[in-house]
Amino acid sequence: MTGAGGWRGWRAAAGDALYGPHGFYLRPEGPAGHFRTSVHASPLFALAVARLLCRVDEALGRPASLDFVDMAAGRGELVTGVLDALPADVAARTRAYGVEVAARPAGLAPRITWLPEPPPQLTGLLFANEWLDNVPVDVAEVDSAGVPRLVLVRDDGTERLGEPVSGADAEWLARWWPLPGQEGLRAEIGLPRDRAWAAAVSRVARGLAVAVDYAHTARARPPFGTLTGFREGRETAPVPDGTCDITAHVALDACAQACTPAHTPERPLVLRQRAALRALGVTGDRPPLTLASTDPAAYVRALAGAGEAAELTAPGGLGDFGWLLRPVGVPHPLGPLPPAPG
């Protein structure tokens, strides 16, 4: 609801700007027209997800029907790439879903089911690449008296402070992102993301749910928040008028604790993308020079693949993305891995 003078919280403003009737995610060019994700960086990402789906398949005992759900599917790039990368016997048993608010893309393979929300129950892999960062959240800012208040915004991006943060939002801040009483400090209140993630995981009867996103944990919260915008490949001021993406990094440690299915002994795991992809065979290692003399064409192909893998795993770039893995009724498909630092 918009208040007097057009003021409202960032959660409501971003929700309309991203998903309303004229929202950013309904634009014909799709997300790929404005920013580049791991999916767009290299087909190696879809190959790694396909390998992960095969590990989930093994953990499930190779069921007759294996589900793959691509959350925030964009225009179907990841789900298409995963199906293309699967071994024939696994692909034949896979039911593929793209979950997105936008209409079904033209030319998408008929075997991919397109839905506005995940199926009510699935056995397999639910994979959410850069979904949670676009679940809208409210923003809090500390006022001159040291009190965290909701940040209100107009459609042109102008901000002012509103009422003090209260209720469940205040409880979330106290637990996950406590703000010292220094004027100007900010935080994004991640409770809607915790709830969205818990709801998605609840759809997994057996298998694995994975969220991949810009992330931070309690040991290294950014003091002024991370709210920003993207338009045509460039970072820009977040203006909730439907012309740009509005995003904020995700408190993945809070999401990890938002749901603990009683029927699985496995705990959630948060790690860096570089560690997850290396466990799935994407290393970025250069091919041996001997290959250049024995098979020059293969060497060139391997060198190009190593460059793409290096981008996906690079520190300071895509390699720093957080992966949150939540097994349900199966062991961790990646095995024992160290958690992400900070």
Side-chain angles (χ1 to χ4, degrees):
M1 178 180 296
T2 304
W7 297 105
R8 53 184 172 166
W10 266 108
R11 183 183 179 192
D16 283 348
L18 295 177
Y19 307 114
H22 305 289
F24 176 83
Y25 276 95
L26 301 183
R27 294 166 67 97
E29 70 271 19
H34 296 270
F35 51 86
R36 189 166 180 256
T37 71
S38 297
V39 178
H40 309 118
S42 170
L44 290 174
F45 190 79
L47 176 61
V49 177
R51 289 171 177 162
L52 180 58
L53 179 58
C54 289
R55 294 192 186 185
V56 173
D57 183 44
E58 290 283 348
L60 290 168
R62 297 176 176 266
S65 182
L66 178 69
D67 296 316
F68 175 66
V69 177
D70 179 12
M71 293 289 296
R75 296 302 180 263
E77 299 94 337
L78 179 60
V79 64
T80 298
V82 168
L83 286 176
D84 289 345
L86 288 174
D89 63 313
V90 180
R93 292 183 287 110
T94 298
R95 296 185 299 188
Y97 301 87
V99 177
E100 184 56 80
V101 294
R104 182 185 182 91
L108 191 70
R111 65 169 300 187
I112 299 172
T113 301
W114 199 255
L115 299 171
E117 60 181 41
Q121 189 174 80
L122 65 103
T123 299
L125 173 62
L126 181 145
F127 198 88
N129 185 60
E130 295 197 43
W131 167 51
L132 288 173
D133 70 304
N134 287 128
V135 173
V137 292
D138 277 316
V139 178
E141 182 176 321
V142 179
D143 67 11
S144 58
V147 177
R149 293 179 176 270
L150 287 176
V151 177
L152 305 182
V153 63
R154 284 176 168 164
D155 288 351
D156 64 0
T158 305
E159 293 182 339
R160 71 172 176 85
L161 297 187
E163 295 296 317
V165 179
S166 60
D169 285 347
E171 293 174 3
W172 189 93
L173 278 181
R175 180 180 180 188
W176 293 109
W177 200 333
L179 287 169
Q182 178 181 337
E183 184 177 4
L185 295 182
R186 288 169 67 122
E188 291 100 28
I189 304 171
L191 183 59
R193 293 169 172 177
D194 295 356
R195 290 171 173 168
W197 176 244
V201 173
S202 73
R203 307 292 182 102
V204 182
R206 291 183 67 227
L208 180 69
V210 179
V212 180
D213 237 308
Y214 298 99
H216 47 68
T217 64
R219 288 175 288 178
R221 301 284 191 225
F224 301 104
T226 61
L227 187 72
T228 191
F230 285 92
R231 182 188 295 116
E232 298 178 355
R234 297 179 182 273
E235 189 170 8
T236 184
V239 178
D241 61 0
T243 65
C244 69
D245 185 30
I246 298 173
T247 178
H249 294 197
V250 181
L252 275 185
D253 49 348
C255 292
Q257 298 303 315
C259 51
T260 307
H263 54 296
T264 175
E266 299 293 337
R267 297 184 62 81
L269 177 67
V270 179
L271 66 159
R272 299 290 192 200
Q273 174 157 297
R274 71 180 67 92
L277 290 184
R278 285 171 180 164
L280 293 166
V282 180
T283 65
D285 294 340
R286 293 173 63 90
L289 283 174
T290 54
L291 185 62
S293 57
T294 59
D295 191 340
Y299 177 79
V300 171
R301 290 194 299 271
L303 194 62
E308 293 177 2
E311 181 182 2
L312 290 173
T313 59
L318 296 175
D320 285 346
F321 269 55
W323 281 47
L324 166 57
L325 294 92
R326 160 58 74 184
V328 180
V330 298
H332 267 294
L334 291 187
L337 290 170

